[in-house]
Amino acid sequence: MIVLTDVRAPEDAGLVASRLIEKVAEPYVIEGTAYHVGASIGIAVYPEHGDDHETLVRHSDAALYHAKASGRNGYCFFTDELSERARRRAWIEKELRLAIEEDALTVFYQPRVSLEDDTVVGAEALVRWEHPEEGFISPAEFIPVAEDTGLVVPLGERVLRRACLEAKGWADAGLPLTVSVNVAPVQLAPEFVDVVVDALAESGLAPERLELEITERTILERTDRHRALLERFEEVGVLVTVDDFGTGYSSLSYLASFPIHVIKIDRSFVSKVCEQETSAAITGAVIALGHALGATIVA
């Protein structure tokens, strides 16, 4: 927490915040390796945003959450709208924690269709939350809260186990489909492999019928650690999907060195293939690249 005195105008606080973020972003070299740290800053101004310590701290905290939600590595000033968002976020966290404990969330399945013969070949598991009073709450609202609070770990495990059971039921009914489950960055710890193995054993689902969807950016944030995890997933027999492909790093070398079976092109390219020549060209290039590597392409 930083207290600025003798500030002539709120804009001066923004200038200080910008300089702080720049200084924090400078690399730290430890044993020959450069590490980068980002920062987000929320700003409350006395007396416009509060005339006592507790109010100013609470309002700067609300501004901080908005700064994070806006892309991080930036700063934001407090407004009444931000305060209401903070109250809403606190309510979402409390109710979501209760919903997870009571197993009150459901899983919907988005079918994956083959363009060769229009048959359904798999489905993506998507968690949905119908609150008893509010009705359906958008994943765009509760998933970020789950990720920020760590609730995404128990939530993700429940979705994984339920998806495996559902897919086993489809197979028993004569529909041997592949089910894909999204994996959050915080879930990618060594013990998650054991969670996956337990879910497969508990459901009886064949490992090759399970796909774990991991975003491109997540895979490359801790290259060595994540390569080891992906290799363990391959040993188990489950498939790995690169989600949001095309929005992460410019290097493509990881495609050759990581055990990746499916490439899912980011919707920002796919949704514009009929209007923008550049999107069509990028999408076509990714398809050709994926096929050359022996990967399945999902759009």
Side-chain angles (χ1 to χ4, degrees), residues 196-208:
V196 172
V197 171
D198 288 345
L200 290 170
E202 179 183 281
S203 63
L205 181 68
E208 64 271 16

Side-chain angles (χ1 to χ4, degrees), residues 21-122:
I21 291 169
E22 289 178 3
K23 294 299 290 185
V24 170
E26 292 179 359
Y28 297 85
V29 179
I30 302 175
E31 295 183 354
T33 301
Y35 294 89
H36 299 267
V37 179
S40 300
I41 298 177
I43 304 171
V45 181
Y46 172 91
E48 292 92 332
H49 300 152
D51 58 4
D52 63 82
H53 169 265
E54 291 185 358
T55 302
L56 287 169
V57 170
R58 185 171 68 251
H59 288 175
S60 64
D61 196 43
L64 173 61
Y65 278 116
H66 184 64
K68 290 181 178 181
S70 300
R72 301 178 182 268
N73 291 321
Y75 66 90
C76 183
F77 286 87
F78 170 80
T79 64
D80 289 340
E81 179 187 1
L82 289 178
S83 182
E84 179 57 37
R85 288 186 190 176
R87 284 193 290 269
R88 172 73 174 181
R89 184 190 181 282
W91 180 85
I92 289 287
E93 179 182 347
K94 177 174 69 72
E95 294 295 310
L96 180 59
R97 192 179 300 276
L98 182 63
I100 294 173
E101 291 175 355
E102 297 180 347
D103 201 18
L105 289 97
T106 57
V107 179
F108 286 17
Y109 297 91
Q110 181 175 5
R112 182 185 297 176
V113 179
S114 169
L115 290 181
E116 294 179 346
D117 53 13
D118 286 337
T119 58
V120 177
V121 294

Side-chain angles (χ1 to χ4, degrees), residues 14 23 54 65 80 101 122 125 136 149 158 180 191 221 239:
K23 294 299 290 185
E54 291 185 358
Y65 278 116
D80 289 340
E101 291 175 355
F136 278 102
T149 59
R158 287 181 182 272
S180 58
E191 56 267 23
E221 279 179 347
L239 306 179

Side-chain angles (χ1 to χ4, degrees), residues 242-283:
V242 178
D243 199 3
D244 299 340
F245 183 83
T247 61
Y249 296 73
S250 58
S251 173
L252 296 176
S253 61
Y254 76 94
L255 290 176
S257 60
F258 281 61
I260 292 168
H261 310 91
V262 182
I263 296 175
K264 191 174 182 181
I265 308 174
D266 187 72
R267 63 181 301 174
S268 62
F269 300 117
V270 178
S271 62
K272 299 174 183 177
V273 292
C274 295
E275 295 111 37
Q276 295 183 357
E277 290 185 2
T278 52
S279 291
I282 291 172
T283 302

Side-chain angles (χ1 to χ4, degrees), residues 50 162 164-165 203 213 292:
R162 190 171 301 178
C164 288
L165 286 169
S203 63
E213 290 198 14

